[in-house]
Amino acid sequence: MHELGIVFHIIRSVEEVGRQNGVSQVNAVTLELGEVSGVLEDYLQDCWNWAASKSDMLRGAKLQVVVIPAKTLCENCGCVYPTVAHGRTCPACGSGKTHLIQGNETMIRDITVPEEEEPEPPEPPAGTAL
């Protein structure tokens, strides 16, 4: 189960970015997950829920997953087609000279933090012109 390793990497990355930006709490992390990445979302969510509960910064944070569809490019005819539906054989020309151009990635897209309340502007000292 490599999902746990992926979750640990995400958590370390988010905590590091959070510390660099003075963030103490994260509400959600949005992850772009390629359709053919080999990562199982159900396992990923289970691992996230367990590991995030152990982090002060991420406790209670949701993991939102956006699936990126897999696309393949045919080097013979230039056709870009959905990988899952057609595999490695180009549906336009029948060539096997193809390569995956999208759908294998796993990337953090967004980190959502609680909105800070706007501080009230200080009252001007008495007798000060505005």
Side-chain angles (χ1 to χ4, degrees):
M1 178 189 319
H2 63 286
E3 286 80 1
L4 187 57
I6 292 169
V7 164
F8 284 149
H9 178 72
I10 294 167
I11 287 174
R12 279 192 306 271
S13 298
V14 170
E15 287 176 336
E16 182 179 330
V17 169
R19 281 190 299 273
Q20 291 171 358
N21 289 281
V23 170
S24 61
Q25 185 64 43
V26 170
N27 287 347
V29 174
T30 303
L31 183 71
E32 291 182 340
L33 185 62
E35 184 177 28
V36 294
S37 65
V39 177
L40 300 176
E41 186 179 348
D42 288 346
Y43 290 158
L44 190 71
Q45 291 287 355
D46 287 344
C47 292
W48 173 265
N49 291 335
W50 176 80
S53 72
K54 308 216 178 307
S55 165
D56 290 337
M57 187 183 294
L58 292 162
R59 190 170 292 115
K62 301 294 180 202
L63 179 65
Q64 301 165 333
V65 175
V66 175
V67 176
I68 304 299
K71 294 183 181 180
T72 296
L73 171 68
C74 176
E75 293 181 22
N76 280 354
C77 72
C79 177
V80 175
Y81 63 89
T83 306
V84 173
H86 301 286
R88 294 183 178 159
T89 304
C90 176
C93 72
S95 173
K97 195 173 180 184
T98 62
H99 64 273
L100 186 69
I101 58 171
Q102 173 184 300
N104 195 28
E105 55 274 302
T106 303
M107 297 183 303
I108 298 171
R109 178 199 284 183
D110 295 311
I111 301 169
T112 306
V113 298
E115 289 188 36
E116 293 182 288
E117 291 184 26
E118 291 291 323
E120 293 289 326
E123 292 288 326
T128 304
L130 294 178

